[in-house]
Amino acid sequence: MTTTAVPESIDDSPAPVTADEERRRHQRREAWRRRLPLLPALLFTIVVTQVPFLFSLWYSLTEWTIVPPSDREFIGFGNYTDLATNEFFRSALWTSVLMTVVSVLLSVVLGTALAVLLDRKFFGQGFVRTLLITPFLVMPVVAGLVWNNQILGSAFGVLNWLLETLGFGSVEFVSRFPLWSIVTVLVWQWTPFMMLIMLAGLQSQPDSVLEAARVDGASTSGIFFQITLPHLRPYLELGVLLGSIYLIQVFDHIDVMTGGGPDSTNVPYFVFQRSIGGGWRFGQASAYSIVVVVFSIIIATFGLRVLSGLLEGEDAA
Amino acid sequence: MTESNPIRSFLLGLLTWFIGLLFFFPVFWMVLNGFKEEADANTDPKLFFDPTLDRYRDIASGDQGLLSFGEAFTNSAWAVIVSTILVLILAVPAAYALSIRPVAKWRDVLFFFISTKFLPIVAAILPLWIIARELDILNTRLVLIVLYTAMNLPLAVWMLRSFFQEVPRELIEAAQLDGASLRGQITSVILPIAAPGLAATALLCVIFAWNEFFLAVQLNPVDGSTVPIWVTSNVSTRGNFLARLSAASTVATLPVLIAGWVAQKRMIRGLAMGAIK
Amino acid sequence: MAQVRYDEATRIYPGTDIAAVDRLDLDIADGEFLVVVGPSGSGKSTALRMLAGLEFIDNGSIHIGERDVTLVPPKERDIAMVFQNYALYPQMSVAANMGFALKQQGIPKEERQRRVAEAARILDLEPYLERKPKNLSGGQRQRVAMGRAIVREPQVFLMDEPLSNLDAKLRVQTRTQLADLQADLGVTTVYVTHDQVEAMTLGDRVAVLESGKLQQCASPREMYSRPANRFVAGFIGSPAMNLLEVDGGDGSGVALGSMTVPLDGEVGRSVGAHPSVTLGVRPEHLALVPSDGDRTLPGRVSVVEDLGSEAFVHIDVEHRGETTQIVVRGEGESDVRRDDNVAIGLGGPIHLFGPGGERLN
């Protein structure tokens, strides 16, 4: 590159040094003027979300029980080596992965299908959309309780009544298949959310492109797979991203449906059980949560790459 | 899309209706059960029965458990409304600084905000519990207000930035030339244009805060408990509770349900638009 | 009212090494209408935004009147700007739009109303004062944008392609009104456009920008008859000047195909110093004539654009062993047809540019 940096060329211009200094000062002031509106939100977020995390990091290196009260004792990576061999933790980790991945994938696929169905003109379109969005708005605790008692429940559940009426035996869904019962409720709640994102994507598709494709003789399925789906890609990514953020942290459904158990305790619930939920072993629980953070960071790195794709081309200020 | 085949079109419409009703059924069933006697609810599913408002009277009187609905509702309302207002007060200027007159590393800052959503709350709950205990704010509304603000702030910044991004740049420049201050630009130019987005953002914050259970149950199990905790308190180990629980669930869900129905289109626009362009 | 001075003003966008506006020197007199014209990406809008205070000035300075405004924020520069898409506040009425700046300055209500009413009268906007921008036609919006600038009674008007969103007919009409208005008000005006017709008709002077550098700043007539360099020659004028590479030779003349164009002594010497130069001839300075040896150039007609009052004839000619096209302006309703064999004769001044694009004659 042959372009000379500007500051140098200023130096040998006859302009007095003070003007140059003034320009720099002006730029610094301007930078701060831009930063100022950001600072309250940034500081608040750092204090409330990052500081506790640092505490967790410190706790995780200690042996510390609250009930019965014990002194905090530094034990280095002891909790982490325990953890590597802890069968329950590994099972919780596996449950977490399974629960998140299956729920996200199923709701994205179902949500996309429903969005395509809804994106056609038919009688009562708006009303059906309202019906479909409803599960997302239901309080998670309520969703868990309603499904647990009134749909899947073996005593008075509608599904079991239906099975019996049709001549099949009733099934103790929640106790026999705890993980899949919870996943069902999660999919029920998150499919509408995915559907709405995909609907936004479908509606943002310019008609002219579809018309051009039809004029070119593409079939309906050809149009969907070759034009619509690529167009939906960023929306799919956004859906997966937001879904993962929330579904990896599922707690409420587990708490009200199974109260934990070998197949339904995910990592958040596990940490809860080992600490505030009755274990009171804060040192060890902190180590678990740090591991969750590490896993989350792995997912986040992937997720943030998706985000940076979304933000591409927005650089011009 | 225009469908060439009317029969196919009709069948697909019918299918969509069927799936819509299927998805809605649990909510319908919950509302229905809330109007039953316990005897009618705790048996084989009944579609026809003598409706009663007694369950709603039961939950209003709050004879079971320590937490009354009024108390829980007041606590929830405080936590939800105050935290949402705080979120907007913090997020509006931040979104301005990330979109309209962006700071040098706006991208990194936005990533930071979003990345905090990846940090599982569970990783912070123990220190939060201990800090809250030290500050003596366990079982108070304050602790939930602070945490709900932090919980919703990243999403609000993200959404508002998208909406602000849609405000034509020239309008803000015109306001700058016309002599408007930062506050003037925001209140008289940006917010009137981004008002639908602001409403959608506020609504999503309200929904997430109203439905929040984890933090509430960890930090405020005794006092300052919120509606979700009150709902679970209607689960009884003695006797039948299904009808009563249904009534409670209906009451707890209704405010968000209505708000969401009214604003469904805008909400999603807020999440999807601007972020993807 | 004031003069405006750009002094080596430079803008380098963060993250790039190339100056969007490169050491721009411009002196704009009090009350002058200066049009800045250039292709897209030439830095013309950036130059205007630097004057407005919307772009940082990385180097050099800008003065309005006697005041150095290089580091002064936009609102303290006492300027008004008309944007390409008008930038009207959608939720405010026409009157509120026009009065917004005055309100920010804390001017009392009666005074504000008086000035808004006065501007509305000048611009024929009186019936629309209570309407919202979305209920106005394109032309009315454009006038509101003008009105918003006028009520401020600023020292300088800045206009960023204010007519480009109007349809062709309205654009011509508004152009005339704008010229009138500016002459009446006598406010110094800097006007950016990519449309050279606007530049030539509106400007007291025209400044041509390309790649962030000022190419020439002169009156429209001088710009047309004596373009300072090859870029200006090709950019100003429609259809564009014919520009052809020719051999410098010994300086006695240059060969255009089989035609010889003789050169004067002094011009000939500067041409003779280069192996290759650019010869420029405007279409109206060429004519279809009877063939006359090496004083005319034979060619074959490829396209005839007949506009009624005149016709532009595109002719394929042999030059330096290749087929190139030359545009000749002819009479309207001409009977020249495609594939006719014709001869071109020179009937006016020629322009010569050196290898660096600089003017030689």
Side-chain angles (χ1 to χ4, degrees):
Chain A
M1 266 172 257
T2 52
T3 324
T4 45
V6 181
E8 268 88 13
S9 63
I10 292 173
D11 286 344
D12 44 38
S13 73
V17 187
T18 48
D20 193 21
E21 176 58 26
E22 200 183 333
R23 193 191 306 267
R24 268 203 293 272
R25 222 174 280 157
H26 174 85
Q27 262 179 315
R28 272 199 299 272
R29 266 201 310 273
E30 169 65 18
W32 275 106
R33 254 202 298 278
R34 284 176 181 236
R35 255 172 248 155
L36 207 60
L38 181 68
L39 292 181
L42 197 61
L43 290 178
F44 181 85
T45 305
I46 290 173
V47 168
V48 182
T49 67
Q50 307 300 294
V51 172
F53 173 68
L54 293 178
F55 275 88
S56 276
L57 208 59
W58 163 239
Y59 297 162
S60 77
L61 302 176
T62 64
E63 170 71 45
W64 182 26
T65 314
I66 300 241
V67 182
S70 79
D71 283 340
R72 218 174 307 171
E73 192 190 331
F74 185 81
I75 56 161
F77 289 95
N79 286 324
Y80 290 92
T81 45
D82 272 2
L83 194 142
T85 56
N86 188 323
E87 214 177 298
F88 298 113
F89 178 72
R90 263 183 305 184
S91 145
L93 203 59
W94 176 236
T95 304
S96 259
V97 170
L98 216 57
M99 197 181 282
T100 309
V101 171
V102 174
S103 311
V104 168
L105 287 185
L106 276 180
S107 23
V108 164
V109 170
L110 278 175
T112 309
L114 284 176
V116 171
L117 278 177
L118 262 187
D119 193 33
R120 309 163 55 259
K121 284 241 170 333
F122 65 93
F123 175 72
Q125 193 182 11
F127 182 72
V128 176
R129 189 185 59 224
T130 305
L131 291 183
L132 279 168
I133 193 199
T134 303
F136 176 63
L137 301 169
V138 172
M139 191 179 279
V141 169
V142 167
L145 287 171
V146 167
W147 275 82
N148 197 25
N149 296 310
Q150 300 175 33
I151 308 290
L152 300 173
S154 59
F156 319 117
V158 175
L159 191 59
N160 268 315
W161 171 79
L162 206 65
L163 286 177
E164 278 175 38
T165 315
L166 295 173
F168 305 97
S170 80
V171 185
E172 284 270 8
F173 285 107
V174 180
S175 49
R176 275 191 61 194
F177 309 108
L179 176 61
W180 302 118
S181 298
I182 291 168
V183 165
T184 305
V185 183
L186 293 176
V187 170
W188 178 69
Q189 290 217 272
W190 282 87
T191 296
F193 180 78
M194 301 300 178
M195 177 193 81
L196 282 174
I197 287 187
M198 303 316 282
L199 210 51
L202 285 174
Q203 283 163 1
S204 74
Q205 194 170 222
D207 282 343
S208 57
V209 175
L210 297 179
E211 277 159 17
R214 217 165 296 138
V215 171
D216 288 345
S219 66
T220 309
S221 66
I223 290 174
F224 181 77
F225 284 105
Q226 283 164 37
I227 294 168
T228 305
L229 217 50
H231 167 79
L232 287 182
R233 214 191 104 170
Y235 293 84
L236 283 166
E237 286 172 348
L238 183 70
V240 169
L241 180 74
L242 290 172
S244 312
I245 289 177
Y246 284 94
L247 284 167
I248 202 166
Q249 312 218 20
V250 166
F251 175 87
D252 311 6
H253 301 81
I254 301 171
D255 194 46
V256 297
M257 286 177 75
T258 66
D263 276 335
S264 64
T265 295
N266 66 356
V267 178
Y269 204 78
F270 186 74
V271 173
F272 160 72
Q273 283 177 321
R274 291 292 160 122
S275 55
I276 304 172
W280 301 110
R281 302 192 53 185
F282 273 34
Q284 205 190 41
S286 293
Y288 298 139
S289 57
I290 295 300
V291 173
V292 187
V293 171
V294 171
F295 272 89
S296 299
I297 287 170
I298 295 169
I299 296 178
T301 317
F302 163 77
L304 291 182
R305 196 167 305 153
V306 171
L307 272 189
S308 70
L310 296 179
L311 293 171
E312 233 165 62
E314 253 190 59
D315 239 349
Chain B
M1 272 198 236
T2 48
E3 206 74 51
S4 43
N5 186 340
I7 297 173
R8 203 177 107 103
S9 171
F10 175 77
L11 289 177
L12 283 175
L14 211 62
L15 177 70
T16 319
W17 263 94
F18 176 73
I19 298 174
L21 291 171
L22 203 66
F23 264 78
F24 188 71
F25 178 78
V27 177
F28 164 78
W29 195 244
M30 165 187 92
V31 175
L32 200 70
N33 277 340
F35 292 106
K36 288 178 180 173
E37 297 290 352
E38 291 295 351
D40 286 327
N42 295 282
T43 175
D44 281 348
K46 272 189 191 174
L47 206 50
F48 302 102
F49 55 94
D50 284 337
T52 170
L53 286 174
D54 284 354
R55 300 294 81 69
Y56 288 91
R57 281 186 205 109
D58 290 352
I59 57 173
S61 66
D63 50 1
Q64 269 178 1
L66 296 166
L67 182 64
S68 80
F69 173 68
E71 228 178 291
F73 186 87
T74 318
N75 290 334
S76 269
W78 266 95
V80 168
I81 293 169
V82 177
S83 75
T84 302
I85 291 171
L86 276 178
V87 164
L88 293 182
I89 289 174
L90 292 171
V92 165
Y96 177 92
L98 294 177
S99 59
I100 288 159
R101 297 186 78 198
V103 296
K105 302 204 163 182
W106 65 269
R107 204 183 271 246
D108 295 343
V109 177
L110 191 63
F111 276 3
F112 168 73
F113 275 114
I114 295 295
S115 72
T116 64
K117 291 300 296 178
F118 284 99
L119 279 186
I121 303 179
V122 71
I125 191 66
L126 303 181
L128 285 175
W129 190 84
I130 287 160
I131 294 167
R133 198 180 59 165
E134 291 298 313
L135 297 174
D136 210 15
I137 53 169
L138 273 183
N139 294 303
T140 64
R141 287 168 190 162
L142 179 64
V143 68
L144 289 189
I145 288 171
V146 170
L147 292 180
Y148 289 177
T149 304
M151 171 179 89
N152 282 329
L153 193 55
L155 191 70
V157 169
W158 164 266
M159 281 178 72
L160 285 177
R161 197 195 76 92
S162 305
F163 281 114
F164 286 5
Q165 205 75 15
E166 285 179 49
V167 177
R169 200 53 51 100
E170 292 84 359
L171 271 183
I172 295 147
E173 290 175 349
Q176 281 172 12
L177 288 171
D178 280 350
S181 61
L182 171 65
R183 236 190 71 196
Q185 290 168 43
I186 290 181
T187 52
S188 47
V189 179
I190 301 170
L191 287 189
I193 296 173
L198 194 74
T201 308
L203 187 77
L204 215 63
C205 292
V206 166
I207 292 178
F208 283 126
W210 178 266
N211 287 347
E212 207 288 327
F213 176 69
F214 179 74
L215 291 169
V217 84
Q218 311 289 356
L219 301 171
N220 286 12
V222 184
D223 280 321
S225 290
T226 53
V227 170
I229 298 175
W230 169 78
V231 171
T232 60
S233 77
N234 284 284
V235 177
S236 162
T237 44
R238 294 170 281 114
N240 292 331
F241 59 86
L242 265 193
R244 182 196 163 100
L245 179 62
S246 296
S249 299
T250 306
V251 170
T253 308
L254 214 56
V256 160
L257 219 52
I258 291 169
W261 282 341
V262 172
Q264 44 179 309
K265 276 187 167 173
R266 278 186 194 153
M267 228 163 54
I268 278 323
R269 208 176 137 259
L271 275 175
M273 289 254 307
I276 300 168
K277 249 200 258 173
Chain C
M1 272 160 246
Q3 71 271 30
V4 171
R5 196 170 87 239
Y6 285 81
D7 191 2
E8 303 238 308
T10 302
R11 173 62 174 147
I12 301 166
Y13 283 111
T16 59
D17 318 324
I18 299 161
V21 170
D22 194 358
R23 280 165 293 173
L24 178 63
D25 278 319
L26 264 181
D27 268 303
I28 304 158
D30 186 11
E32 184 177 0
F33 197 126
L34 179 91
V35 178
V36 181
V37 67
S40 62
S42 60
K44 56 186 190 302
S45 282
T46 307
L48 190 74
R49 292 166 56 81
M50 288 161 78
L51 176 54
L54 296 171
E55 294 288 351
F56 185 67
I57 297 155
D58 290 288
N59 205 350
S61 65
I62 293 182
H63 286 72
I64 297 176
E66 291 307 311
R67 194 158 72 115
D68 183 347
V69 297
T70 311
L71 300 177
V72 174
K75 62 178 172 186
E76 288 161 29
R77 292 191 181 197
D78 200 7
I79 46 164
M81 185 155 168
V82 178
F83 290 85
Q84 181 172 8
N85 57 9
Y86 318 138
L88 303 179
Y89 309 122
Q91 78 283 5
M92 294 183 202
S93 68
V94 168
N97 258 288
M98 298 210 286
F100 184 73
L102 304 181
K103 199 173 169 183
Q104 302 300 317
Q105 291 167 19
I107 289 171
K109 198 172 174 196
E110 292 77 44
E111 167 79 357
R112 271 185 351 234
Q113 281 171 339
R114 193 187 59 71
R115 277 159 76 170
V116 168
E118 170 70 8
R121 192 185 56 75
I122 296 173
L123 293 162
D124 286 328
L125 284 169
E126 282 161 318
Y128 313 111
L129 280 175
E130 292 316 310
R131 288 209 195 162
K132 294 278 168 65
K134 68 166 187 279
N135 299 322
L136 297 176
S137 72
Q140 288 161 349
R141 282 181 210 173
Q142 203 278 334
R143 297 213 298 277
V144 176
M146 290 293 306
R148 202 166 61 175
I150 291 174
V151 293
R152 295 189 49 185
E153 298 171 4
Q155 296 205 49
V156 188
F157 283 141
L158 311 186
M159 304 196 185
D160 191 0
E161 310 219 11
L163 304 181
S164 61
N165 278 356
L166 300 176
D167 64 50
K169 198 174 164 196
L170 199 55
R171 186 155 51 209
V172 175
Q173 197 186 329
T174 314
R175 198 171 71 204
T176 333
Q177 289 166 352
L178 188 67
D180 237 24
L181 187 67
Q182 198 272 342
D184 284 351
L185 296 173
V187 176
T188 314
T189 302
V190 183
Y191 184 110
V192 162
T193 182
H194 67 273
D195 180 347
Q196 44 147 324
V197 179
E198 273 174 31
M200 302 301 272
T201 52
L202 281 171
D204 294 329
R205 279 192 305 156
V206 176
V208 177
L209 238 60
E210 153 70 359
S211 307
K213 293 191 178 67
L214 180 65
Q215 305 293 317
Q216 186 173 10
C217 181
S219 71
R221 180 179 294 183
E222 190 185 343
M223 182 83 61
Y224 190 79
S225 58
R226 279 187 63 83
N229 58 37
R230 200 196 139 127
F231 175 81
V232 176
F235 187 73
I236 298 288
S238 174
M241 183 187 283
N242 295 297
L243 290 167
L244 296 135
E245 296 299 315
V246 295
D247 295 331
D250 60 1
S252 65
V254 290
L256 176 55
S258 59
M259 174 165 74
T260 305
V261 181
L263 297 176
D264 294 344
E266 201 180 321
V267 178
R269 268 192 297 283
S270 52
V271 169
H274 304 289
S276 178
V277 297
T278 303
L279 170 69
V281 194
R282 294 211 179 271
E284 66 267 33
H285 297 143
L286 292 170
L288 300 182
V289 293
S291 180
D292 183 11
D294 72 350
R295 298 177 60 188
T296 60
L297 176 62
R300 175 184 282 252
V301 176
S302 96
V303 175
V304 181
E305 293 174 330
D306 197 333
L307 305 175
S309 61
E310 56 188 354
F312 293 104
V313 186
H314 298 246
I315 299 164
D316 289 333
V317 299
E318 289 294 316
H319 173 62
R320 281 179 158 184
E322 283 169 30
T323 306
T324 20
Q325 205 163 60
I326 286 183
V327 181
V328 177
R329 191 177 81 172
E331 300 283 306
E333 298 171 20
S334 90
D335 45 13
V336 182
R337 295 283 169 271
R338 183 180 160 81
D339 290 337
D340 284 357
N341 287 314
V342 293
I344 304 166
L346 191 64
I350 59 164
H351 310 264
L352 288 158
F353 305 101
E358 74 283 6
R359 186 177 184 90
L360 296 176
N361 61 333

